[in-house]
């Protein structure tokens, strides 16, 4: 379904993507200054690979040019102080990158020619450095597993899930994981919102940041951090997603539904307010909407029952 109205401020179609990047010496300084945490790769090679993979994914779906903007830690710290932002927060790095671009820093165009020096600054040919298929084939486990609690806003009884998601998962994949955990059918568009950022379904032409170009760690930065996931711009199901815990990654780091409660509402039922009304009408044969509620929900519908409970939990 196309959005019936804009959820966000209008923005022009992105003419160019800007990718923030810490060169090796700056990466070490970023660690030393506490700008990186358990959700970041410790190894610069793993970090470069992640950056290259993100740009390849962007290039697969968009013809817009991609510019790599090398970050300077001292300059980033000065920017954070000037703007009153947390220098360790990933959103600050995104905002800093935007500021660099606005102030005329065009960075390095990606991808370089195969035989040209690599974008990463190594002085090695691109095809033998970050563009090397052997380098790209290595898949280190994500550095962290994020334990997230998802609450569907505005419904009673509560509909919630607790999930574990690898920290580097791109947000288009996180969308599918949330769909799966909640019980939605992935029939509509979606958007992720934070106080500062709007990251939207790549099928949208709103010009906002596409979900396949951002990773979960960009918006789920620290324990206690929260973002909103909106599904279906018609019914506008809002989910509050909170980071409960950051666990170390490792071989078992994969998407897992850990716990939950409450039934997922049916698709296209009219949003939280009308769903609540139908639940009341379902148990009230005198309600003028009783028949409609039975038709939409089913007469044995139990809103408190979670159908997706892992084996042995129900
Ligand atoms: Zn390289």
């Amino acid at each position: 379904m196309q959005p019936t109205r804009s959820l966000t401020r209008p923005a022009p179609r992105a003419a160019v993507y800007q990718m923030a990047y810490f060169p090796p010496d700056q990466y070490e300084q970023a660690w030393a200054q506490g700008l990186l945490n358990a959700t970041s790769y410790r190894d610069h090679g793993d970090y470069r690979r992640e950056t290259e993979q993100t740009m390849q994914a962007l290039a697969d779906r968009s013809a817009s040019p991609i510019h790599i903007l090398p970050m300077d830690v001292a300059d980033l710290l000065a920017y954070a102080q000037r703007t009153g932002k947390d220098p360790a927060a990933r959103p600050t790095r995104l905002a800093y990158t935007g500021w660099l671009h606005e102030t005329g820093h065009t960075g390095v165009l990606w991808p370089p020619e195969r035989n040209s020096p690599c974008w990463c600054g190594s002085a090695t040919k691109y095809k033998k450095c970050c563009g090397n298929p052997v380098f790209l084939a290595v898949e280190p486990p994500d550095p962290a597993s994020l334990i997230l609690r998802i609450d569907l806003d505005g419904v009673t009884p509560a509909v919630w899930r607790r999930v574990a998601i690898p920290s580097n998962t791109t947000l288009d994949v996180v969308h599918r994981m949330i769909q799966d955990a909640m019980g939605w059918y992935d029939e509509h568009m979606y958007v992720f919102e934070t106080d500062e950022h709007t990251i939207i379904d790549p099928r949208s032409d709103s010009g906002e940041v596409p979900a396949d170009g951002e990773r979960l760690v960009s918006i789920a930065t620290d324990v206690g951090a929260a973002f909103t996931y909106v599904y279906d711009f018609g019914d506008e199901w809002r989910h509050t997603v909170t980071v409960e815990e950051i666990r170390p990654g490792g071989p078992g780091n994969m998407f897992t539904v850990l716990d939950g409660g409450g039934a997922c509402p049916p698709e296209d039922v009219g949003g939280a307010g009308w769903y609540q009304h139908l639940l009341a009408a379902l148990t009230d044969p005198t309600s003028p909407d009783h028949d409609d509620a039975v038709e939409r929900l089913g007469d044995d519908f139990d809103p408190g029952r979670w159908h997706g409970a892992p084996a042995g939990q129900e």
Side-chain angles (χ1 to χ4, degrees):
M1 177 193 221
Q2 290 298 311
T4 50
R5 64 188 178 78
S6 176
L7 285 173
T8 56
R9 67 191 180 283
R13 182 105 186 104
V16 57
Y17 291 118
Q18 302 129 37
M19 181 66 64
Y21 169 67
F22 284 118
D25 59 325
Q26 298 300 317
Y27 201 63
E28 289 312 309
Q29 277 199 42
W31 273 106
Q33 294 282 348
L35 303 186
L36 302 173
N37 66 15
T39 60
S40 303
Y41 284 117
R42 188 62 191 84
D43 179 76
H44 191 264
D46 290 337
Y47 165 70
R48 277 191 292 119
R49 181 185 298 109
E50 173 199 356
T51 307
E52 172 77 18
Q53 288 168 342
T54 302
M55 292 186 290
Q56 291 194 0
L58 272 176
D60 278 348
R61 57 155 292 274
S62 169
S64 296
I66 300 171
H67 288 190
I68 298 157
L69 290 163
M71 288 186 285
D72 179 275
V73 169
D75 196 42
L76 170 60
L77 289 171
Y79 169 83
Q81 188 166 30
R82 214 162 52 234
T83 54
K85 296 180 194 291
D86 173 8
R90 281 199 184 223
T92 304
R93 299 207 282 280
L94 283 179
Y96 170 67
T97 310
W99 175 79
L100 280 178
H101 186 76
E102 283 163 19
T103 52
H105 297 74
T106 51
V108 180
L109 189 64
W110 181 95
E113 295 292 327
R114 284 168 47 77
N115 287 310
S116 296
C118 190
W119 59 263
C120 73
S122 66
T124 306
K125 287 178 181 177
Y126 175 57
K127 70 177 183 187
K128 295 194 169 183
C129 190
C130 298
N132 182 346
V134 176
F135 169 73
L136 290 169
V138 177
E139 284 206 31
D142 274 11
S145 169
L146 300 183
I147 310 302
L148 306 176
R149 181 178 163 117
I150 307 164
D151 285 283
L152 184 61
D153 297 354
V155 297
T156 308
V159 181
W160 67 279
R161 308 287 183 259
R162 179 174 290 116
V163 298
I165 299 183
S167 52
N168 273 330
T169 309
T170 52
L171 288 173
D172 58 321
V173 178
V174 172
H175 149 73
R176 294 204 297 273
M177 291 169 173
I178 294 176
Q179 289 283 314
D180 190 48
M182 294 299 296
W184 296 119
Y185 288 129
D186 196 2
E187 292 178 345
H188 302 287
M189 304 261 277
Y190 62 92
V191 63
F192 293 88
E193 296 174 340
T194 69
D195 288 346
E196 291 190 312
H197 292 284
T198 300
I199 300 166
I200 198 157
D201 191 322
R203 293 168 292 184
S204 160
D205 59 358
S206 73
E208 300 285 353
V209 177
D212 52 356
E214 279 300 331
R215 295 174 190 267
L216 177 58
V217 281
S218 299
I219 57 171
T221 45
D222 297 292
V223 172
F227 59 86
T228 301
Y229 166 78
V230 184
Y231 171 56
D232 185 354
F233 301 156
D235 278 7
E236 202 178 336
W237 296 103
R238 300 183 73 84
H239 307 66
T240 300
V241 185
T242 310
V243 183
E244 289 193 329
E245 193 183 340
I246 298 177
R247 294 180 186 164
N253 187 4
M254 61 179 72
F255 167 58
T256 313
V257 180
L258 301 169
D259 201 0
C264 188
E267 298 271 347
D268 304 314
V269 80
W274 190 249
Y275 174 61
Q276 221 50 67
H277 172 77
L278 289 179
L279 284 182
L282 185 66
T283 55
D284 176 8
T286 67
S287 165
D289 291 314
H290 178 72
D291 290 347
D292 188 39
V294 171
E295 188 180 325
R296 283 168 174 266
L297 303 175
D299 52 9
D300 60 348
F301 184 76
D302 177 0
R305 183 167 179 271
W306 177 34
H307 294 266
Q313 282 193 15
E314 254 194 355

